[in-house]
Amino acid sequence: MEDSPTICRCGCGETPSPGSEWPPGGHDHRAVHQRIARIGSTVEFCDWFDQQVPPAAPSSSDQSPEQ
């Protein structure tokens, strides 16, 4: 884990507890949703992300069970 930030990344101004990246209470979700909103809708974010990041190699858990 990287060093804990001095201020929460959601912009609330709170300081995460030592050894934690986020204050308790969903601050990580707030930060993610704020970034999604900067792109647009959730669908627009997914489309943008898929264009920016190469697809991951399929894992065995991604395989459909044989019928």
Side-chain angles (χ1 to χ4, degrees), residues 3-15:
D3 292 335
S4 294
T6 55
I7 301 293
C8 182
R9 292 182 188 118
C10 85
C12 69
E14 290 188 36
T15 302

Side-chain angles (χ1 to χ4, degrees), residues 4 6 15 19 21-22 31 33-34 43 46-47 51-52 55 66-67:
S4 294
T6 55
T15 302
E21 294 181 7
W22 304 98
H33 286 282
Q34 289 168 353
V43 169
C46 289
D47 290 344
Q51 292 173 359
Q52 303 301 313
E66 292 186 30
Q67 307 251 341

Side-chain angles (χ1 to χ4, degrees), residues 1-63:
M1 176 171 26
E2 297 177 14
D3 292 335
S4 294
T6 55
I7 301 293
C8 182
R9 292 182 188 118
C10 85
C12 69
E14 290 188 36
T15 302
S17 302
S20 177
E21 294 181 7
W22 304 98
H27 293 256
D28 54 340
H29 291 251
R30 284 186 218 159
V32 168
H33 286 282
Q34 289 168 353
R35 284 151 178 84
I36 290 170
R38 289 173 58 188
I39 300 299
S41 69
T42 303
V43 169
E44 290 169 322
F45 177 83
C46 289
D47 290 344
W48 171 83
F49 184 88
D50 290 345
Q51 292 173 359
Q52 303 301 313
V53 179
S59 68
S60 59
S61 63
D62 294 336
Q63 304 296 324

